[in-house]
Amino acid sequence: MMHHRSSTKVAISGAAGNIGYALLPLIASGYVFGDTVPIELRLLEIPHALKSLTGVKMELEDSAYPCLSNVLCTADPLEAFDNADCIILVGGFPRKKGMARNDLIQANTKIFTEMGAAIDEVASPNVKVLVVANPANTNCLVALNEASNIPTKNFCALSFLDHQRAKAQIAKRLGVSTARVKNVIIWGNHSETQYPDPLTDGYCIRDDGSEIPLVSLLKNDIEWVTNDFISIVQNRGKSVIEVRGNS
């Protein structure tokens, strides 16, 4: 007799966008939750993006991922989050040219208030929520404040991009691979008030495998570290948008 393992229900908002489009194959393939875990995808979008989302669903079906048990497309967060085990909130008000992250807060508060209320009403009580949409920390706080039935520890905001930006700038300055730069820290909120810190615990791996503190390598470059470096990382997203025209 064959026993079927119950599916892990994964909801993703903004699923038709660029980030969602890149993320979905990783989840459907088993890369994220394991290749023995059946995945039921709940794809959430705003109404006018549902047609595009249907195309994403078709591509997922055509890929015949062994782990993928079902794909649901909807514009209703209550339907998307119903008994969900994991929710990834990618969708938010998009950052436009000239906007600072603080400009996004007001636009996103309404969205994440609705997301948090829906999570509180219908999601699994053990749901894990990852907020990707910027400003991620603030959006996460708004959502968790609406979800009193879900433990606060189950909410997480993704600030990894800031970490990678800081790491890349240090590697570029030192003329080394980013793989050699370790333990760079981002303090504070995911905004222009963040404080990228390569000196407190950062180090670089030498050719022989030994470690040398970044504070030693950058001792003659402190002016750059405490001024230009911080500004570059704080404003990198804004700079990218000014060049690309979108996020």
Side-chain angles (χ1 to χ4, degrees), residues 22 172 236:
K172 183 178 179 181
R236 186 67 169 182

Side-chain angles (χ1 to χ4, degrees), residues 85-98:
D85 302 297
C86 177
I87 297 172
I88 305 174
L89 298 176
V90 177
F93 189 86
R95 188 176 184 179
K96 298 180 179 180
K97 188 174 181 179

Side-chain angles (χ1 to χ4, degrees), residues 89 108 112-113 116 119 129-147 152-158 189:
L89 298 176
N108 277 293
F112 283 86
T113 296
I119 290 169
V129 182
L130 174 62
V131 179
V132 178
N134 287 324
N137 299 55
T138 305
N139 290 340
C140 186
L141 180 63
V142 170
L144 73 84
N145 280 339
E146 296 297 322
T152 300
K153 66 180 182 179
N154 288 18
F155 284 79
C156 182
L158 187 66
N189 193 23

Side-chain angles (χ1 to χ4, degrees), residues 172-193:
K172 183 178 179 181
R173 192 72 172 183
L174 295 176
V176 301
S177 165
T178 54
R180 297 195 176 207
V181 178
K182 305 292 183 181
N183 286 17
V184 173
I185 300 170
I186 301 294
W187 302 104
N189 193 23
H190 186 61
S191 71
E192 280 79 4
T193 61

Side-chain angles (χ1 to χ4, degrees), residues 12 66 101 147 233:
I12 302 174
R101 284 195 183 95
V233 177

Side-chain angles (χ1 to χ4, degrees), residues 2-245:
M2 183 178 292
H3 296 279
H4 295 283
R5 183 173 178 175
S6 59
S7 296
T8 294
K9 300 176 179 63
V10 182
I12 302 174
S13 71
N18 291 335
I19 296 174
Y21 190 76
L23 179 62
L24 288 169
L26 298 177
I27 297 173
S29 67
Y31 181 83
V32 176
F33 294 95
D35 57 13
T36 62
V37 180
I39 297 294
E40 179 181 332
L41 284 174
R42 313 281 190 74
L43 309 184
L44 178 65
E45 263 297 356
I46 55 179
H48 82 256
L50 284 177
K51 182 178 180 181
S52 176
L53 189 61
T54 301
V56 173
K57 176 181 178 180
M58 291 167 67
E59 289 187 302
L60 287 168
E61 292 172 341
D62 291 348
S63 297
Y65 293 108
C67 296
L68 190 58
S69 63
N70 189 43
V71 181
L72 169 72
C73 296
T74 181
D76 182 0
L78 292 175
E79 184 177 20
F81 300 160
D82 185 29
N83 204 31
D85 302 297
C86 177
I87 297 172
I88 305 174
L89 298 176
V90 177
F93 189 86
R95 188 176 184 179
K96 298 180 179 180
K97 188 174 181 179
M99 290 182 72
R101 284 195 183 95
N102 287 341
D103 298 329
L104 293 176
I105 293 175
Q106 185 174 0
N108 277 293
T109 294
K110 181 179 179 181
I111 295 172
F112 283 86
T113 296
E114 181 185 6
M115 296 296 104
I119 290 169
D120 194 56
E121 184 173 345
V122 300
S124 164
N126 297 313
V127 67
K128 304 299 188 296
V129 182
L130 174 62
V131 179
V132 178
N134 287 324
N137 299 55
T138 305
N139 290 340
C140 186
L141 180 63
V142 170
L144 73 84
N145 280 339
E146 296 297 322
S148 58
N149 292 318
I150 310 298
T152 300
K153 66 180 182 179
N154 288 18
F155 284 79
C156 182
L158 187 66
S159 296
F160 188 59
L161 179 56
D162 290 322
H163 171 272
Q164 296 298 81
R165 285 169 171 163
K167 185 175 178 179
Q169 291 298 320
I170 293 297
K172 183 178 179 181
R173 192 72 172 183
L174 295 176
V176 301
S177 165
T178 54
R180 297 195 176 207
V181 178
K182 305 292 183 181
N183 286 17
V184 173
I185 300 170
I186 301 294
W187 302 104
N189 193 23
H190 186 61
S191 71
E192 280 79 4
T193 61
Q194 68 177 268
Y195 188 84
D197 174 13
L199 303 180
T200 297
D201 198 38
Y203 64 90
C204 185
I205 300 175
R206 291 183 168 122
D207 290 341
D208 62 4
S210 62
E211 301 171 3
I212 180 169
L214 291 178
V215 68
S216 297
L217 291 174
L218 296 167
K219 64 183 179 181
N220 296 322
D221 214 1
I222 295 300
E223 180 70 20
W224 176 81
V225 172
T226 56
N227 290 283
D228 290 352
F229 165 72
I230 292 174
S231 179
I232 289 169
V233 177
Q234 288 175 335
N235 295 287
R236 186 67 169 182
K238 185 177 179 181
S239 298
V240 169
I241 290 169
E242 287 174 352
V243 175
R244 290 196 67 215

